[in-house]
Amino acid sequence: MSRLRSAAEAALDRRSFLAATGAVGVAAGIGLALRPDRAAQAGAVAAQGPAGAPAVAAAAPSTRALAPVPPWTGTTLRKVATPRGSASGYRRLGTGPGWKRVVRTQLAAARDGRAERRTALASFVQLTDLHLTDVQHPVRTEYLRAQAAGAWRPQEALTVHGAISLVERVNALRGGPVTGADLDFVMTTGDNTDNNCKAELDWFLRTMSGGRITPDTGDPGRYEGVQDSGLPLYWHPDGALRDADKQRGFPRLEGYFAAVRRPVNSPGLRLPWYSTVGNHDDLPSGCFANAGASGYLADFAVGGRKLLSLPVNDAKALEAVLRKGSDPRGTYFTDLLRRESRRMRSVTPDPARAPFTPREYVEAHLDPAYAGAGPAGHGYTRQNAETGNLYYSFRVADGVVGVSLDTTDRGGHFAGSIGKAQLDWLGRTLLAHRDEHLIVFSHHNSWTFDDGGGDKLVALFKQHRNVIAWINGHSHRNEILAHGSFWEISTASHVEFPQLARIVELTDNHDGTLSLFTTLIESAAPHRTDYTDLSQTGLAALYRELSLNAPGARQTLAGPLDARNTELLVKKR
């Protein structure tokens, strides 16, 4: 039985527009979405992609080590970053007690002795909503912060540092914390980039596969974003301006801009990894139709002008349009930018800020320079590039198959969408593997589609009872729902506090049930920050603390205890 919430309670499950009003925020994350009352759920619209899709790919080689692993190693079972001090001002982070594992039995009873009987079927890690961000990108709408606190995040210049630290954490894991089995792979569930920008895509692929990254665009000699604008609306870390954030206790950090823009190194994941696309990967600002290299927004993205502030009435009007999702092609937005051209700041043009198309997204994954630990294409094939569909299936382990969906609305909307062609392909795939366990991955959750698509997927998965889990992101909040025959597991983002990822272990209890164990992990960065440490690791720690203090940030994104570290029982088919 799904957890139900009242409409009033659901209304609190947001940050503010752009960081969450059903849309979530332009540039600051149209992707952090409201979870409404179940009775009011909506679904998807529009058909994308061809009827055919690649066959299930072979599983990556995996040696299943079953030696016991301390259950707390590198996870939130033992310890977790915990706020210190008064909630009224800037808060520091320290180390607090971990979160206990909660057993959930809505779908099957928990029988005694299963711990001694169980065997491991599959173990993997889910990363989601990394939002690697080019903070100097001209199309960003930071100026809406005056109307909506979540329209700009003070920590955004450190997304690459935080993501690399998360890769380091995954590499240090000794196995599944319950079974001790080797981890099979890592899956990202979308919004890997923030602005649908080629530079961000390169940063993401190098973070995952290994390499040297310079998290900077434009003039290589100076920062040209909002944080040196002289506007008190934004935190100016490397200056004396008494901005609104410093008045709340944000630190002054001499040398910050030089530190955050210098090259960093990612070791790359040691595990095979797969990629699922999100609306911020497919769509400029996560909400406008992708015209590729043509059109005003594409030209503006690579050009030499950037808007830093907006009159109050214009900001309110734009916020309302974006919140409603009523400007899918960006017409209203581009008209506003044209009107405001005289008030813009000159910045250094950069072709690396160009948007990328779905085909270019796939081709980048197929590039041998980003092969990392494999597999080639990270789930995508040449057929995906040629057809433009971004869904596929793959072998997880013996008897277990993974399915990655594309739930973005290419017509231009932050909400989810899944068309008939993809639904038909999905139905055939589920039927073809009727005798195996199916785990489905997508970016959007069942409650963040806009025309019934979420309900259609839930109904389809109930019809095919070989589906045991639907794993997704988008809401930036931990949530786990029971849907009668399968579990929906939504994981918090790595851009908002508490910046989490999730280990999932599937076991056979040999009593007619399966268990899905979910265990949250943080990055490898220390909980406590040292403002004099502007090293790669020090900046990753600062990234977490700044996310805690972002104006409008919620401390509830970790979700209820029964959506964090869990054992989820489900009947075995």
Side-chain angles (χ1 to χ4, degrees), residues 239-545:
L241 178 69
R242 186 71 172 163
D243 56 64
D245 292 298
K246 287 207 186 84
Q247 292 178 37
R248 295 178 54 245
F250 273 63
R252 179 177 178 181
L253 303 172
E254 297 291 344
Y256 176 83
F257 289 129
V260 301
R261 295 165 54 249
R262 64 180 172 231
V264 292
N265 294 295
S266 173
L269 288 164
R270 296 175 185 169
L271 296 171
W273 65 272
Y274 295 84
S275 183
T276 295
V277 70
N279 55 297
H280 275 262
D281 303 313
D282 252 357
L283 311 175
S285 291
C287 65
F288 299 127
N290 192 333
S294 63
Y296 181 87
L297 283 182
D299 292 340
F300 192 77
V302 301
R305 307 289 287 173
K306 180 175 174 61
L307 186 61
L308 305 182
S309 64
L310 200 60
V312 172
N313 289 339
D314 288 338
K316 287 181 178 180
L318 178 59
E319 177 194 9
V321 168
L322 296 176
R323 183 174 62 245
K324 294 175 183 177
S326 58
D327 188 30
R329 301 205 173 272
T331 303
Y332 182 95
F333 182 47
T334 56
D335 286 347
L336 181 145
L337 291 176
R338 288 188 175 101
R339 291 197 307 270
E340 295 293 329
S341 60
R342 293 183 180 180
R343 301 179 60 250
M344 293 179 181
R345 177 185 191 174
S346 294
V347 296
T348 304
D350 193 337
R353 293 177 178 145
F356 53 85
T357 64
R359 176 170 186 144
E360 289 170 326
Y361 183 78
V362 173
E363 289 176 338
H365 282 73
L366 290 166
D367 189 333
Y370 302 122
H378 305 290
Y380 298 114
T381 66
R382 178 55 54 187
Q383 182 181 358
N384 291 114
E386 292 171 354
T387 62
N389 83 61
L390 273 70
Y391 47 87
Y392 61 89
S393 57
F394 65 103
R395 173 67 57 187
V396 171
D398 290 343
V400 185
V401 172
V403 176
S404 173
L405 301 179
D406 176 5
T407 56
T408 57
D409 182 348
R410 293 188 190 171
H413 203 288
F414 47 78
S417 174
I418 186 163
K420 185 179 184 300
Q422 188 174 181
L423 274 174
D424 290 345
W425 169 86
L426 178 58
R428 294 193 301 271
T429 300
L430 301 183
L431 187 61
H433 299 282
R434 63 176 68 85
D435 297 324
E436 299 185 277
H437 303 306
L438 270 290
I439 299 174
V440 180
F441 300 91
S442 73
H443 179 63
H444 291 86
N445 339 83
S446 63
W447 62 91
T448 54
F449 285 71
D450 61 4
D451 192 25
D455 292 337
K456 290 176 184 177
L457 286 172
V458 169
L460 182 64
F461 298 157
K462 286 182 177 180
Q463 179 184 348
H464 295 272
R465 299 180 70 88
N466 51 339
V467 176
I468 58 174
W470 178 11
I471 296 174
N472 49 50
H474 188 65
S475 65
H476 290 209
R477 184 180 192 273
N478 291 317
E479 183 70 271
I480 298 179
L481 303 177
H483 286 296
S485 59
F486 71 94
W487 292 97
E488 181 175 4
I489 302 168
S490 301
T491 301
S493 76
H494 204 254
V495 70
E496 315 279 0
F497 186 81
Q499 296 186 341
L500 301 169
R502 198 186 294 266
I503 303 169
V504 178
E505 298 170 85
L506 173 63
T507 69
D508 188 338
N509 297 323
H510 297 285
D511 59 7
T513 68
L514 305 172
S515 287
L516 286 154
F517 291 92
T518 76
T519 308
L520 294 167
I521 58 173
E522 302 172 298
S523 78
H527 292 157
R528 184 159 183 81
T529 57
D530 177 354
Y531 293 152
T532 66
D533 181 5
L534 298 182
S535 67
Q536 183 173 323
T537 298
L539 291 173
L542 179 64
Y543 177 53
R544 185 192 289 124
E545 184 170 286

Side-chain angles (χ1 to χ4, degrees), residues 27 29 127-137 140 153 155-167 188 190-209 213 215-217 264 266 280-281 356 476 493-495 543:
L127 314 182
T128 195
D129 295 85
L130 296 172
H131 284 278
L132 298 187
T133 305
D134 172 15
V135 294
Q136 301 172 89
H137 198 283
R140 287 170 55 77
R153 306 179 184 99
Q155 71 270 22
E156 287 173 333
L158 301 172
T159 51
V160 170
H161 305 79
I164 291 174
S165 185
L166 183 57
V167 166
T188 74
D191 282 4
N192 307 304
T193 66
D194 192 65
N195 303 303
N196 175 245
C197 154
K198 289 182 177 179
E200 294 171 344
L201 181 56
D202 173 72
W203 302 347
F204 163 65
L205 293 169
R206 292 188 188 280
T207 295
M208 300 291 282
S209 293
I213 303 164
D216 183 35
T217 58
V264 292
S266 173
H280 275 262
D281 303 313
F356 53 85
H476 290 209
S493 76
H494 204 254
V495 70
Y543 177 53

